[in-house]
Amino acid sequence: MEATTMAQPTSTGDADLPAKPPAAAQSGTTLAARRRSRVRRTALWMVVALVLAIAAYLFWGRDRLPAAEVFQVLGGEKVPGTSFIIMSDRLPRIAVGVLAGAGLGISGALFQRWLGNPLASPDVIGVGYGASAAAVFAMIILGYTDWKLNAFSLAGGLLVAALIYWLSAAGKRTGSRLILAGLAIGAMLQALIQYLLTQAQVNTASDVMHWLTGSLASSNWENALLLLVSLGAIGILLLPLVLRQLKMLELGEDAAAALGLHVGWARALLVFVAVAMGALPIAVTGPMAFVAFLAGPITAALTRGPINILLAGLTGATLVTIANFFAANLFADLSLPVGVITGAFGAPFLIWILVRANSTGSGA
């Protein structure tokens, strides 16, 4: 009897103490805080790299300019020769490159996050070829070079996205099937582009071929303003909504529907924003290879977390600006299109992702 009494608990003070959070919750909170810290740190370094690349191109783009004259021009003074180079050539290139890179980076990151596959970028799944083919048709057959070119590029990207969307099980999250359908459509569109080139005049075909490599050579303030207004409107009005809906879509379509999300409309809006963010820059600069493909995975590698959409936009802008500097200075007597540099960097990265996927058994 005495032993039974001693075995009973005698203290009830613990019931009055505040409940301690579970270790798993504490660990999750710490992990989220560390991830946010890495995102902020990565964003800071990207901004620094972008500013340095802009400064390097202003001073050493193709021909080196005296630092004093560059500062005078940036301060609003007129310096013969230098003012034209800075205000009519280098700054427009920088502005168009930053905006185009940001749009392409966001476009690729949206597709990659939604489909959960690093290969699901516009230039891999065929959406970029749709925008390019429509733009080439508008240039060669219709002779458009103004805002109508952007409209055709956007329409072509949306049309191909809708076709791929339908071919890959009516828009279900079947990333592998979507990528395979996109590759097939992309191959057909490449053949169409080649055919259109055979129908063009020699001078027009030369201009189109230069455009197809992805170039900032024709950049001007009108193009920069066009990209700023169009991408800015989509980024301000639609992108925040898409990001909120994307978080719910990543939980699964059934869970998203249970949370009150209209899944069909959310998917359609996401595809529209992702295509527009990529097609509008393509109409101005041409298809700069692998920018949309590289930006998202680079952010994921640097932050050791999921792809951050806005950080991918900053990364895309930085990639294009750095590539623009190398395109102007890599060879003394040759100015390369920016797309040549981004393609040279992107191809090994694509091979690395495929090798890594095979070694881990994760598949594409």
Side-chain angles (χ1 to χ4, degrees), residues 168-196:
S168 60
K172 295 179 182 178
R173 283 190 59 176
T174 51
S176 297
R177 273 196 280 186
L178 189 143
I179 290 170
L180 290 174
L183 289 173
I185 297 298
M188 289 189 289
L189 290 172
Q190 282 183 292
L192 175 61
I193 290 172
Q194 295 300 318
Y195 170 75
L196 289 172

Side-chain angles (χ1 to χ4, degrees), residues 30-43 303:
T30 302
L31 181 61
R34 289 177 179 173
R35 186 172 295 163
R36 286 193 297 269
S37 176
R38 287 196 295 267
V39 169
R40 288 193 294 266
R41 188 163 56 246
T42 302
T303 61

